[in-house]
């Protein structure tokens, strides 16, 4: 057995991911030593309750509630506690104690990324976070390293497994949102409190991380436009299917070019995707990130966006990288925010839309609707009308599904407000963007 140098590894957290990381570090110790060029010695695991049951059996003597002491003297600190505090304080302490750090904590990086990266820069430490954006799917390293010589134009990610599971089942089974959510909770795909997932908060954190990296710009979480999927009902889903689309919750990070130069847009919302698009075939709780780069063209990264052991794979990859760098020394890659592009509000984004309206079924209504759209600089590409009243013109309600050409979001939303107030529109059923053109 090669006599490798020993690196002290401290693990903070032994929950779904942490317990698997600890298990794999111990189980594959020899192989990992060969790959890293160093023996990764797990010196301790900080938890809240040393007596709590664990997914993986761990030696009792490794468990401690004293994270601060554990960090001192560690070469690599792996943070898998989650949340903002005390994770933030522990990571800053680890960096200032000379450790490289590995974390899967998207909430922390999306809200305090610049603080962590600056602290690491100051002391020449490195921050690895492959598991923070899409679980097991390698996307951070491709953006940071493989595409470092290219210019990313757009990222479209299905980065939340819970919402993809719900939307996929609504699409394939014709079920209602609330029924699929209840099933997802029973099967463990959704939390008892699903807000972070279904309202798009989790996806927004990941979008901020991906956009920051792809566009060399610190993207604050509050600059990410966010909408969830709770307004998507069976009839919206049916209409999307009928028109040849599927609805996905997308994290879209896009480089925009205008008269004032370059800017970026970062947004999370449910959008229509053509069924022929590769993202349309991402089923169940899987994730995928579709990257469009100037020279490389279209790339897609697909797989498990969550899961204890799957996420542990990405964490261990980071641990091996951290170990190699720790041994080789030298300056790390660091986070580049050199481009520092402005992040524009969603109103400045241009996309195609599908507007579904319930209108009075009487002569002249279509002309009124078309007039309002035209005045609002929204050009119609397709119109489909279905009578949903008693079938006699003038005595019922008709459903209008209007597909638009590309329009400015601000124009579109003002136009929809005017339609809603026009007196001929009974109800604006849905307004969905079309992505992936
Ligand atoms: P988890 O199951 O809730 O585990 C959290 C662990 O941290 C537990 O072992 C807990 O100790 C410990 N902990 C929490 N607060 C602590 C404190 N104040 N002091 C000491 N220990 C503390 O979380 P997880 O699902 O493994 O997620 C860990 C991180 O990975 C999060 O940032 C999450 O966003 C990220 N992530 C998770 C997944 C996934 O599929 N689960 C995927 C991608 C990224 P006790 O066990 O004693 O309570």
């Amino acid at each position: 057995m090669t006599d490798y140098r020993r690196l002290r590894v401290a693990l903070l957290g032994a929950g779904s991911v942490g317990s698997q990381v600890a298990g794999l570090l111990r189980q594959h110790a020899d192989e990992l030593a060969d790959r890293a060029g160093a023996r990764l010695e797990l010196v301790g695991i900080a938890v809240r309750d040393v007596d709590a049951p664990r997914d993986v059996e761990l030696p009792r003597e490794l468990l401690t509630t004293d994270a601060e002491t554990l960090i001192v003297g560690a070469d690599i600190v792996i943070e898998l506690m989650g949340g903002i505090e005390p994770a933030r304080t522990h990571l800053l302490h680890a960096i200032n104690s000379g450790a490289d750090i590995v974390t899967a904590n998207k909430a922390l990086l999306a809200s305090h990324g610049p603080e962590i990266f600056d602290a690491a820069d100051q002391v020449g430490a490195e921050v690895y976070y492959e598991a923070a954006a899409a679980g097991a799917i390698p996307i951070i390293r491709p953006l940071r390293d493989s595409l470092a010589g290219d210019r990313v134009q757009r990222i479209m990610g299905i980065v939340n497994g819970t919402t993809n599971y719900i939307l996929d089942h609504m699409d394939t089974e014709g079920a209602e949102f609330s029924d699929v959510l209840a099933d997802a909770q029973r099967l463990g795909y959704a939390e008892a409190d699903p807000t972070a997932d279904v309202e798009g908060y989790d996806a927004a954190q990941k979008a901020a991380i991906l956009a920051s990296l792809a566009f060399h710009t610190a993207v604050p979480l509050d600059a990410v436009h966010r909408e969830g999927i709770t307004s998507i009902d069976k009839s919206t889903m049916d209409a999307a299917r009928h028109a040849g689309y599927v609805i996905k919750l997308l994290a879209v990070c896009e480089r925009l070019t205008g008269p004032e130069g370059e800017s970026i847009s970062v947004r999370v919302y449910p959008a229509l995707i053509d069924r022929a698009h590769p993202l349309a075939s991402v089923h169940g709780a899987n994730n995928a990130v579709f990257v469009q780069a100037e020279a490389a063209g279209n790339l897609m990264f697909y797989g498990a966006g969550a899961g204890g052991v799957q996420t542990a794979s990405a964490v261990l990859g980071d641990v091996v990288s951290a170990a190699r760098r720790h041994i080789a020394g030298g300056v790390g890659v660091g986070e580049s925010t050199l481009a520092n592009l402005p992040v524009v509000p969603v109103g400045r984004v241009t996309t195609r839309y599908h507007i579904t309206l319930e209108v009075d079924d009487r002569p002249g209504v279509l002309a009124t609707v078309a007039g309002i759209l035209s005045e609002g600089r929204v050009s119609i590409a397709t119109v489909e009308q279905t009578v949903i009243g008693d079938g006699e013109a003038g005595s019922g309600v008709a459903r209008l599904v209007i597909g638009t050409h590309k329009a400015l979001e601000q124009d579109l939303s003002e136009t929809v407000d005017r339609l809603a107030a026009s007196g001929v529109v009974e109800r604006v059923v849905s307004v969905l963007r079309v992505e992936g053109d």
Side-chain angles (χ1 to χ4, degrees):
M1 198 165 61
T2 315
D3 190 17
Y4 289 115
R5 177 180 157 189
R6 283 177 186 273
L7 291 181
R8 294 167 61 83
V9 178
L11 176 60
L12 312 182
S16 306
V17 185
S19 61
Q20 299 291 344
V21 167
L24 292 171
L25 267 174
R26 289 161 47 76
Q27 193 185 334
H28 300 309
D30 292 341
E31 262 184 77
L32 287 168
D34 287 337
R35 285 181 210 156
R39 188 150 283 276
L40 303 168
E41 187 188 353
L42 183 59
V43 292
I45 309 169
V47 291
R48 268 181 303 220
D49 175 3
V50 293
D51 295 318
R54 305 280 155 205
D55 294 348
V56 172
E57 202 177 317
L58 301 171
R60 179 72 164 67
E61 63 274 16
L62 282 182
L63 297 169
T64 173
T65 54
D66 186 358
E68 284 293 297
T69 304
L70 180 61
I71 287 166
V72 178
D75 298 298
I76 298 169
V77 172
I78 310 170
E79 184 275 308
L80 295 167
M81 291 166 58
I84 307 300
E85 288 294 356
R88 171 184 157 275
T89 302
H90 289 326
L91 284 186
L92 291 172
H93 179 204
I95 288 166
N96 290 318
S97 306
D100 282 327
I101 62 174
V102 175
T103 179
N105 195 332
K106 56 215 152 207
L108 180 63
L109 291 179
S111 57
H112 291 78
E115 182 188 17
I116 305 273
F117 298 132
D118 285 353
D121 262 2
Q122 303 241 327
V123 296
E126 186 84 337
V127 183
Y128 297 86
Y129 53 98
E130 185 58 75
I137 303 172
I139 184 63
I140 299 297
R141 211 168 268 108
L143 287 175
R144 181 141 94 168
D145 297 339
S146 321
L147 292 168
D150 207 332
R151 276 167 65 82
V152 173
Q153 298 298 346
R154 194 196 292 172
I155 296 174
M156 288 190 293
I158 295 172
V159 290
N160 180 271
T162 304
T163 45
N164 202 57
Y165 177 92
I166 293 171
L167 293 172
D168 188 39
H169 280 252
M170 286 176 74
D171 178 48
T172 53
E173 290 163 13
E176 276 296 357
F177 173 82
S178 52
D179 295 336
V180 184
L181 173 60
D183 269 355
Q185 285 169 319
R186 199 172 37 79
L187 296 169
Y189 288 115
E191 304 277 345
D193 176 359
T195 312
D197 294 318
V198 299
E199 295 294 356
Y201 291 102
D202 172 79
Q205 291 169 351
K206 294 165 177 173
I209 292 171
L210 292 175
S212 298
L213 199 54
F215 302 124
H216 306 276
T217 294
V219 176
L221 191 52
D222 58 13
V224 180
H225 175 83
R226 176 195 54 77
E227 292 170 36
I229 64 163
T230 50
S231 63
I232 306 296
D233 61 8
K234 180 173 159 18
S235 67
T236 314
M237 210 40 137
D238 291 345
R241 191 183 312 106
H242 179 72
Y245 295 104
V246 61
I247 301 175
K248 297 287 187 191
L249 182 73
L250 292 186
V252 184
C253 316
E254 193 172 25
R255 187 190 294 274
L256 306 172
T257 312
E260 289 138 40
E262 287 197 331
S263 56
I264 57 175
S265 157
V266 191
R267 50 198 199 262
V268 168
Y269 47 49
L272 297 166
I273 286 274
D274 192 292
R275 284 189 179 263
H277 193 283
L279 285 173
S281 60
V282 177
H283 296 293
N286 282 309
N287 283 196
V289 184
F290 190 78
V291 180
Q292 295 175 285
E294 202 171 83
N298 295 343
L299 307 164
M300 188 155 107
F301 303 83
Y302 168 86
V309 73
Q310 293 88 341
T311 306
S313 159
V315 171
L316 281 172
D318 279 351
V319 174
V320 169
S321 295
R324 287 181 184 149
R325 194 198 80 91
H326 214 86
I327 292 214
V331 184
V333 185
E335 285 307 293
S336 152
T337 53
L338 293 176
N340 201 14
L341 295 172
V343 189
V344 298
V346 73
R348 302 257 300 274
V349 170
T350 301
T351 49
R352 293 199 293 121
Y353 298 84
H354 261 230
I355 308 166
T356 305
L357 306 171
E358 279 175 11
V359 297
D360 297 340
D361 181 27
R362 56 182 161 79
V365 166
L366 192 54
T368 306
V369 168
I372 293 170
L373 287 163
S374 161
E375 277 164 31
R377 294 181 294 275
V378 179
S379 157
I380 298 175
T382 57
V383 181
E384 194 179 303
Q385 177 169 344
T386 322
V387 176
I388 57 173
D390 61 9
E392 291 290 319
S395 58
V397 173
R399 178 167 283 213
L400 277 185
V401 180
I402 301 165
T404 76
H405 289 294
K406 283 198 167 179
L408 194 63
E409 170 98 14
Q410 195 171 329
D411 288 344
L412 190 282
S413 80
E414 285 168 12
T415 303
V416 170
D417 288 347
R418 277 201 292 277
L419 284 170
S422 66
V424 298
V425 172
E426 299 270 326
R427 187 164 79 97
V428 177
V429 180
S430 65
V431 179
L432 286 169
R433 292 90 171 176
V434 182
E435 292 285 357
D437 292 339

